[in-house]
Amino acid sequence: MKIISYNVNGLRAAIKKGFLEWLRTHPADVICIQEAKAQQSDVDAGAFAALGYEDHWFCARKKGYSGVTVFTKRKPDDVQCGTGHQVSDDEGRVIQLDFGKLRLINAYFPSGTSGDERQTYKYQWLNEFYDYVQGLRATHPNILLCGDYNIAHQEIDIHDPKGNKKSSGFLPEERAWMDKFYSNGWVDSLRQFNNDPHHYSWWSQRSPTVRAQNKGWRIDYISVTEPLKPALRAASIYPDVKHSDHCPVYAELDETLIK
């Protein structure tokens, strides 16, 4: 099973930049989108159906904001929108799909870059979400959690760790949350295959040269619970795919090893 996670920073904008043409290359069985910034009625679902994809949406109440979408060639057994936390669900941040014994969660973690109020909410969201997914493991041991986590975990995950030590997305409290997460039953899929530096998934748009110079952050992840670790077959990042300020991240699972 091939899975891609991709913050498109506006699905309609990404389509104008060739997103559909990229989908025609069939990059994965399941494409998890964050920050769709659209309602389902805003795009032509027939264009995705023609490529063999079902589409499942969880949109923010506020139009043009947030939202998660999944395009899948595999019909899910069940789809669940949200986690039951009102602010998160009003912002359309989490959608969950079941494929056999696999629970796939597509999540758009909040950003704290717009000010103290949102940074405070980000910490609240992280705590609520951690408790939620840890509790979910009791009934769903095989979970894949993909999305834009909006946190660069370690110094290897950011081009300028010293210069960004006080920046939202690389704050000590955020990084400590990632430490706790990966120390309690979760696996960072990319780091099972690649421990090299300079592998990033997001680049600031403030300067046109930032991406060309690869001055980025790795804030997009595909993580799995420990029971899925033996099923991981590949993980990578696709920096040359450019429909957004993010790029897709990829993982592949051997379903025969999911127990």
Side-chain angles (χ1 to χ4, degrees):
M1 189 176 194
K2 299 177 180 180
I3 299 160
I4 278 176
S5 178
Y6 193 4
N7 180 322
V8 295
N9 193 15
L11 183 56
R12 287 169 290 183
I15 288 172
K16 292 178 181 178
K17 297 174 183 177
F19 180 78
L20 285 173
E21 288 72 18
W22 174 68
L23 279 189
R24 290 192 184 101
T25 69
H26 305 290
D29 305 305
V30 183
I31 313 285
C32 296
I33 298 300
Q34 303 90 42
E35 209 169 358
K37 295 183 178 179
Q39 305 293 312
Q40 194 167 5
S41 58
D42 291 334
V43 300
D44 177 14
F48 300 103
L51 297 174
Y53 290 98
E54 288 186 12
D55 54 312
H56 300 276
W57 298 67
F58 188 38
C59 305
R61 289 183 177 272
K62 179 182 177 181
K63 290 187 176 182
Y65 179 74
S66 189
V68 286
T69 305
V70 177
F71 300 109
T72 175
K73 293 185 175 184
R74 300 274 300 276
K75 187 173 185 64
D77 301 313
D78 188 48
V79 179
Q80 176 182 324
C81 293
T83 60
H85 297 97
Q86 183 176 351
V87 178
S88 177
D89 291 352
D90 285 350
E91 294 182 356
R93 292 198 172 273
V94 181
I95 188 169
Q96 308 182 54
L97 294 85
D98 288 333
F99 298 94
K101 296 179 180 179
L102 175 69
R103 167 64 62 96
L104 184 151
I105 303 177
N106 176 19
Y108 177 37
F109 290 39
S111 169
T113 56
S114 61
D116 291 344
E117 182 178 345
R118 288 304 291 181
Q119 186 66 41
T120 298
Y121 175 64
K122 183 177 186 178
Y123 291 137
Q124 174 187 331
W125 192 96
L126 290 171
N127 290 331
E128 290 174 347
F129 189 67
Y130 179 85
D131 291 344
Y132 178 82
V133 294
Q134 292 299 81
L136 189 63
R137 290 171 57 197
T139 53
H140 295 79
N142 301 303
I143 304 175
L144 182 148
L145 169 59
C146 68
D148 175 2
Y149 289 25
N150 263 313
I151 303 170
H153 181 200
Q154 298 175 329
E155 290 192 357
I156 194 176
D157 297 312
I158 187 169
H159 80 283
D160 182 10
K162 291 182 180 179
N164 285 289
K165 63 183 180 181
K166 295 184 179 180
S167 298
S168 178
F170 197 60
L171 295 173
E173 297 88 345
E174 296 169 323
R175 297 175 63 199
W177 186 92
M178 296 287 275
D179 288 339
K180 179 176 72 170
F181 178 69
Y182 284 127
S183 297
N184 286 279
W186 294 85
V187 175
D188 181 346
S189 63
L190 180 72
R191 295 305 180 203
Q192 299 305 300
F193 301 94
N194 190 328
N195 284 305
D196 296 333
H198 313 306
H199 291 277
Y200 307 128
S201 64
W202 175 80
W203 300 263
S204 172
Q205 293 181 306
R206 292 177 182 175
S207 167
T209 63
V210 166
R211 188 160 184 170
Q213 295 170 346
N214 198 29
K215 294 181 177 180
W217 301 41
R218 185 169 78 102
I219 58 176
D220 302 89
Y221 300 79
I222 298 178
S223 306
V224 298
T225 48
E226 285 281 356
L228 283 177
K229 185 176 177 179
L232 281 170
R233 284 291 168 265
S236 57
I237 295 177
Y238 296 154
D240 294 332
V241 177
K242 299 178 180 178
H243 314 108
S244 168
D245 52 346
H246 294 249
C247 75
V249 298
Y250 171 86
E252 185 174 338
L253 294 173
D254 182 344
E255 292 181 90
T256 66
L257 298 179
I258 299 177
K259 299 178 181 180

PDB file of all heavy atoms in Angstrom, residues 10-29:
ATOM      1  N   GLY A  10      -3.915  24.956  -0.443  1.00  0.00           N
ATOM      2  CA  GLY A  10      -5.007  25.352  -1.330  1.00  0.00           C
ATOM      3  C   GLY A  10      -5.118  24.409  -2.511  1.00  0.00           C
ATOM      4  O   GLY A  10      -4.289  24.457  -3.424  1.00  0.00           O
ATOM      5  N   LEU A  11      -6.123  23.538  -2.489  1.00  0.00           N
ATOM      6  CA  LEU A  11      -6.247  22.532  -3.548  1.00  0.00           C
ATOM      7  C   LEU A  11      -6.515  23.170  -4.904  1.00  0.00           C
ATOM      8  O   LEU A  11      -5.960  22.740  -5.924  1.00  0.00           O
ATOM      9  CB  LEU A  11      -7.354  21.540  -3.195  1.00  0.00           C
ATOM     10  CG  LEU A  11      -7.561  20.383  -4.163  1.00  0.00           C
ATOM     11  CD1 LEU A  11      -6.279  19.583  -4.364  1.00  0.00           C
ATOM     12  CD2 LEU A  11      -8.699  19.483  -3.681  1.00  0.00           C
ATOM     13  N   ARG A  12      -7.356  24.207  -4.929  1.00  0.00           N
ATOM     14  CA  ARG A  12      -7.653  24.836  -6.215  1.00  0.00           C
ATOM     15  C   ARG A  12      -6.400  25.477  -6.817  1.00  0.00           C
ATOM     16  O   ARG A  12      -6.166  25.394  -8.032  1.00  0.00           O
ATOM     17  CB  ARG A  12      -8.757  25.875  -6.047  1.00  0.00           C
ATOM     18  CG  ARG A  12     -10.139  25.267  -5.826  1.00  0.00           C
ATOM     19  CD  ARG A  12     -11.172  26.274  -5.397  1.00  0.00           C
ATOM     20  NE  ARG A  12     -10.918  26.748  -4.037  1.00  0.00           N
ATOM     21  CZ  ARG A  12     -11.709  27.603  -3.387  1.00  0.00           C
ATOM     22  NH1 ARG A  12     -12.781  28.092  -3.991  1.00  0.00           N
ATOM     23  NH2 ARG A  12     -11.419  27.974  -2.153  1.00  0.00           N
ATOM     24  N   ALA A  13      -5.574  26.080  -5.961  1.00  0.00           N
ATOM     25  CA  ALA A  13      -4.319  26.662  -6.441  1.00  0.00           C
ATOM     26  C   ALA A  13      -3.383  25.576  -6.947  1.00  0.00           C
ATOM     27  O   ALA A  13      -2.714  25.732  -7.972  1.00  0.00           O
ATOM     28  CB  ALA A  13      -3.652  27.463  -5.325  1.00  0.00           C
ATOM     29  N   ALA A  14      -3.341  24.443  -6.236  1.00  0.00           N
ATOM     30  CA  ALA A  14      -2.469  23.339  -6.644  1.00  0.00           C
ATOM     31  C   ALA A  14      -2.907  22.759  -7.986  1.00  0.00           C
ATOM     32  O   ALA A  14      -2.066  22.391  -8.821  1.00  0.00           O
ATOM     33  CB  ALA A  14      -2.464  22.254  -5.571  1.00  0.00           C
ATOM     34  N   ILE A  15      -4.214  22.687  -8.195  1.00  0.00           N
ATOM     35  CA  ILE A  15      -4.720  22.173  -9.480  1.00  0.00           C
ATOM     36  C   ILE A  15      -4.259  23.063 -10.631  1.00  0.00           C
ATOM     37  O   ILE A  15      -3.864  22.574 -11.699  1.00  0.00           O
ATOM     38  CB  ILE A  15      -6.260  22.059  -9.429  1.00  0.00           C
ATOM     39  CG1 ILE A  15      -6.669  20.891  -8.509  1.00  0.00           C
ATOM     40  CG2 ILE A  15      -6.840  21.865 -10.834  1.00  0.00           C
ATOM     41  CD1 ILE A  15      -8.155  20.816  -8.232  1.00  0.00           C
ATOM     42  N   LYS A  16      -4.256  24.375 -10.407  1.00  0.00           N
ATOM     43  CA  LYS A  16      -3.782  25.298 -11.437  1.00  0.00           C
ATOM     44  C   LYS A  16      -2.291  25.125 -11.726  1.00  0.00           C
ATOM     45  O   LYS A  16      -1.814  25.508 -12.797  1.00  0.00           O
ATOM     46  CB  LYS A  16      -4.076  26.736 -11.020  1.00  0.00           C
ATOM     47  CG  LYS A  16      -5.559  27.083 -10.992  1.00  0.00           C
ATOM     48  CD  LYS A  16      -5.777  28.509 -10.511  1.00  0.00           C
ATOM     49  CE  LYS A  16      -7.263  28.845 -10.459  1.00  0.00           C
ATOM     50  NZ  LYS A  16      -7.496  30.226  -9.943  1.00  0.00           N
ATOM     51  N   LYS A  17      -1.571  24.563 -10.768  1.00  0.00           N
ATOM     52  CA  LYS A  17      -0.123  24.359 -10.921  1.00  0.00           C
ATOM     53  C   LYS A  17       0.238  22.949 -11.371  1.00  0.00           C
ATOM     54  O   LYS A  17       1.405  22.563 -11.345  1.00  0.00           O
ATOM     55  CB  LYS A  17       0.581  24.667  -9.594  1.00  0.00           C
ATOM     56  CG  LYS A  17       0.437  26.118  -9.154  1.00  0.00           C
ATOM     57  CD  LYS A  17       1.025  26.337  -7.765  1.00  0.00           C
ATOM     58  CE  LYS A  17       0.822  27.762  -7.275  1.00  0.00           C
ATOM     59  NZ  LYS A  17       1.323  27.962  -5.889  1.00  0.00           N
ATOM     60  N   GLY A  18      -0.780  22.147 -11.756  1.00  0.00           N
ATOM     61  CA  GLY A  18      -0.490  20.838 -12.329  1.00  0.00           C
ATOM     62  C   GLY A  18      -0.732  19.650 -11.417  1.00  0.00           C
ATOM     63  O   GLY A  18      -0.262  18.538 -11.696  1.00  0.00           O
ATOM     64  N   PHE A  19      -1.497  19.839 -10.343  1.00  0.00           N
ATOM     65  CA  PHE A  19      -1.740  18.754  -9.403  1.00  0.00           C
ATOM     66  C   PHE A  19      -2.408  17.555 -10.066  1.00  0.00           C
ATOM     67  O   PHE A  19      -2.029  16.398  -9.834  1.00  0.00           O
ATOM     68  CB  PHE A  19      -2.599  19.265  -8.242  1.00  0.00           C
ATOM     69  CG  PHE A  19      -2.917  18.240  -7.193  1.00  0.00           C
ATOM     70  CD1 PHE A  19      -1.981  17.880  -6.246  1.00  0.00           C
ATOM     71  CD2 PHE A  19      -4.169  17.628  -7.150  1.00  0.00           C
ATOM     72  CE1 PHE A  19      -2.280  16.934  -5.270  1.00  0.00           C
ATOM     73  CE2 PHE A  19      -4.482  16.689  -6.189  1.00  0.00           C
ATOM     74  CZ  PHE A  19      -3.531  16.346  -5.240  1.00  0.00           C
ATOM     75  N   LEU A  20      -3.398  17.809 -10.922  1.00  0.00           N
ATOM     76  CA  LEU A  20      -4.085  16.698 -11.591  1.00  0.00           C
ATOM     77  C   LEU A  20      -3.157  15.951 -12.545  1.00  0.00           C
ATOM     78  O   LEU A  20      -3.208  14.717 -12.645  1.00  0.00           O
ATOM     79  CB  LEU A  20      -5.315  17.213 -12.341  1.00  0.00           C
ATOM     80  CG  LEU A  20      -6.526  17.580 -11.481  1.00  0.00           C
ATOM     81  CD1 LEU A  20      -7.588  18.238 -12.340  1.00  0.00           C
ATOM     82  CD2 LEU A  20      -7.087  16.350 -10.778  1.00  0.00           C
ATOM     83  N   GLU A  21      -2.311  16.690 -13.224  1.00  0.00           N
ATOM     84  CA  GLU A  21      -1.347  16.044 -14.127  1.00  0.00           C
ATOM     85  C   GLU A  21      -0.397  15.145 -13.336  1.00  0.00           C
ATOM     86  O   GLU A  21      -0.034  14.060 -13.788  1.00  0.00           O
ATOM     87  CB  GLU A  21      -0.558  17.101 -14.905  1.00  0.00           C
ATOM     88  CG  GLU A  21      -1.367  17.830 -15.983  1.00  0.00           C
ATOM     89  CD  GLU A  21      -2.388  18.816 -15.426  1.00  0.00           C
ATOM     90  OE1 GLU A  21      -2.263  19.202 -14.239  1.00  0.00           O
ATOM     91  OE2 GLU A  21      -3.311  19.197 -16.171  1.00  0.00           O
ATOM     92  N   TRP A  22      -0.022  15.586 -12.146  1.00  0.00           N
ATOM     93  CA  TRP A  22       0.823  14.759 -11.281  1.00  0.00           C
ATOM     94  C   TRP A  22       0.075  13.507 -10.837  1.00  0.00           C
ATOM     95  O   TRP A  22       0.646  12.405 -10.825  1.00  0.00           O
ATOM     96  CB  TRP A  22       1.269  15.592 -10.079  1.00  0.00           C
ATOM     97  CG  TRP A  22       2.019  14.825  -9.045  1.00  0.00           C
ATOM     98  CD1 TRP A  22       3.268  14.276  -9.160  1.00  0.00           C
ATOM     99  CD2 TRP A  22       1.586  14.528  -7.712  1.00  0.00           C
ATOM    100  NE1 TRP A  22       3.637  13.664  -7.980  1.00  0.00           N
ATOM    101  CE2 TRP A  22       2.624  13.807  -7.073  1.00  0.00           C
ATOM    102  CE3 TRP A  22       0.431  14.821  -6.992  1.00  0.00           C
ATOM    103  CZ2 TRP A  22       2.533  13.357  -5.757  1.00  0.00           C
ATOM    104  CZ3 TRP A  22       0.340  14.378  -5.683  1.00  0.00           C
ATOM    105  CH2 TRP A  22       1.379  13.659  -5.091  1.00  0.00           C
ATOM    106  N   LEU A  23      -1.212  13.639 -10.496  1.00  0.00           N
ATOM    107  CA  LEU A  23      -1.994  12.473 -10.096  1.00  0.00           C
ATOM    108  C   LEU A  23      -2.089  11.453 -11.224  1.00  0.00           C
ATOM    109  O   LEU A  23      -2.205  10.246 -10.959  1.00  0.00           O
ATOM    110  CB  LEU A  23      -3.408  12.887  -9.673  1.00  0.00           C
ATOM    111  CG  LEU A  23      -3.619  13.429  -8.259  1.00  0.00           C
ATOM    112  CD1 LEU A  23      -5.112  13.572  -7.985  1.00  0.00           C
ATOM    113  CD2 LEU A  23      -2.981  12.543  -7.205  1.00  0.00           C
ATOM    114  N   ARG A  24      -2.020  11.922 -12.448  1.00  0.00           N
ATOM    115  CA  ARG A  24      -2.087  10.996 -13.580  1.00  0.00           C
ATOM    116  C   ARG A  24      -0.873  10.078 -13.649  1.00  0.00           C
ATOM    117  O   ARG A  24      -0.889   9.064 -14.352  1.00  0.00           O
ATOM    118  CB  ARG A  24      -2.235  11.769 -14.899  1.00  0.00           C
ATOM    119  CG  ARG A  24      -3.586  12.434 -15.063  1.00  0.00           C
ATOM    120  CD  ARG A  24      -3.828  12.949 -16.476  1.00  0.00           C
ATOM    121  NE  ARG A  24      -5.094  13.660 -16.554  1.00  0.00           N
ATOM    122  CZ  ARG A  24      -5.227  14.973 -16.552  1.00  0.00           C
ATOM    123  NH1 ARG A  24      -4.147  15.736 -16.515  1.00  0.00           N
ATOM    124  NH2 ARG A  24      -6.421  15.524 -16.605  1.00  0.00           N
ATOM    125  N   THR A  25       0.191  10.403 -12.929  1.00  0.00           N
ATOM    126  CA  THR A  25       1.362   9.520 -12.863  1.00  0.00           C
ATOM    127  C   THR A  25       1.156   8.420 -11.829  1.00  0.00           C
ATOM    128  O   THR A  25       2.035   7.566 -11.658  1.00  0.00           O
ATOM    129  CB  THR A  25       2.634  10.310 -12.512  1.00  0.00           C
ATOM    130  OG1 THR A  25       2.565  10.774 -11.151  1.00  0.00           O
ATOM    131  CG2 THR A  25       2.812  11.496 -13.453  1.00  0.00           C
ATOM    132  N   HIS A  26       0.008   8.433 -11.142  1.00  0.00           N
ATOM    133  CA  HIS A  26      -0.364   7.424 -10.145  1.00  0.00           C
ATOM    134  C   HIS A  26       0.718   7.265  -9.074  1.00  0.00           C
ATOM    135  O   HIS A  26       1.293   6.183  -8.906  1.00  0.00           O
ATOM    136  CB  HIS A  26      -0.672   6.094 -10.821  1.00  0.00           C
ATOM    137  CG  HIS A  26      -1.723   6.194 -11.882  1.00  0.00           C
ATOM    138  ND1 HIS A  26      -3.049   6.443 -11.593  1.00  0.00           N
ATOM    139  CD2 HIS A  26      -1.640   6.144 -13.233  1.00  0.00           C
ATOM    140  CE1 HIS A  26      -3.740   6.505 -12.721  1.00  0.00           C
ATOM    141  NE2 HIS A  26      -2.917   6.334 -13.728  1.00  0.00           N
ATOM    142  N   PRO A  27       1.015   8.342  -8.334  1.00  0.00           N
ATOM    143  CA  PRO A  27       2.114   8.302  -7.371  1.00  0.00           C
ATOM    144  C   PRO A  27       1.844   7.435  -6.146  1.00  0.00           C
ATOM    145  O   PRO A  27       2.792   7.034  -5.466  1.00  0.00           O
ATOM    146  CB  PRO A  27       2.278   9.774  -6.974  1.00  0.00           C
ATOM    147  CG  PRO A  27       0.932  10.370  -7.217  1.00  0.00           C
ATOM    148  CD  PRO A  27       0.377   9.663  -8.403  1.00  0.00           C
ATOM    149  N   ALA A  28       0.569   7.146  -5.839  1.00  0.00           N
ATOM    150  CA  ALA A  28       0.265   6.351  -4.655  1.00  0.00           C
ATOM    151  C   ALA A  28      -1.172   5.839  -4.727  1.00  0.00           C
ATOM    152  O   ALA A  28      -1.979   6.301  -5.530  1.00  0.00           O
ATOM    153  CB  ALA A  28       0.463   7.170  -3.383  1.00  0.00           C
ATOM    154  N   ASP A  29      -1.464   4.869  -3.854  1.00  0.00           N
ATOM    155  CA  ASP A  29      -2.833   4.348  -3.752  1.00  0.00           C
ATOM    156  C   ASP A  29      -3.727   5.299  -2.972  1.00  0.00           C
ATOM    157  O   ASP A  29      -4.921   5.409  -3.236  1.00  0.00           O
ATOM    158  CB  ASP A  29      -2.823   2.979  -3.045  1.00  0.00           C
ATOM    159  CG  ASP A  29      -1.900   1.985  -3.713  1.00  0.00           C
ATOM    160  OD1 ASP A  29      -2.064   1.747  -4.921  1.00  0.00           O
ATOM    161  OD2 ASP A  29      -1.003   1.459  -3.027  1.00  0.00           O
TER     162      ASP A  29
END
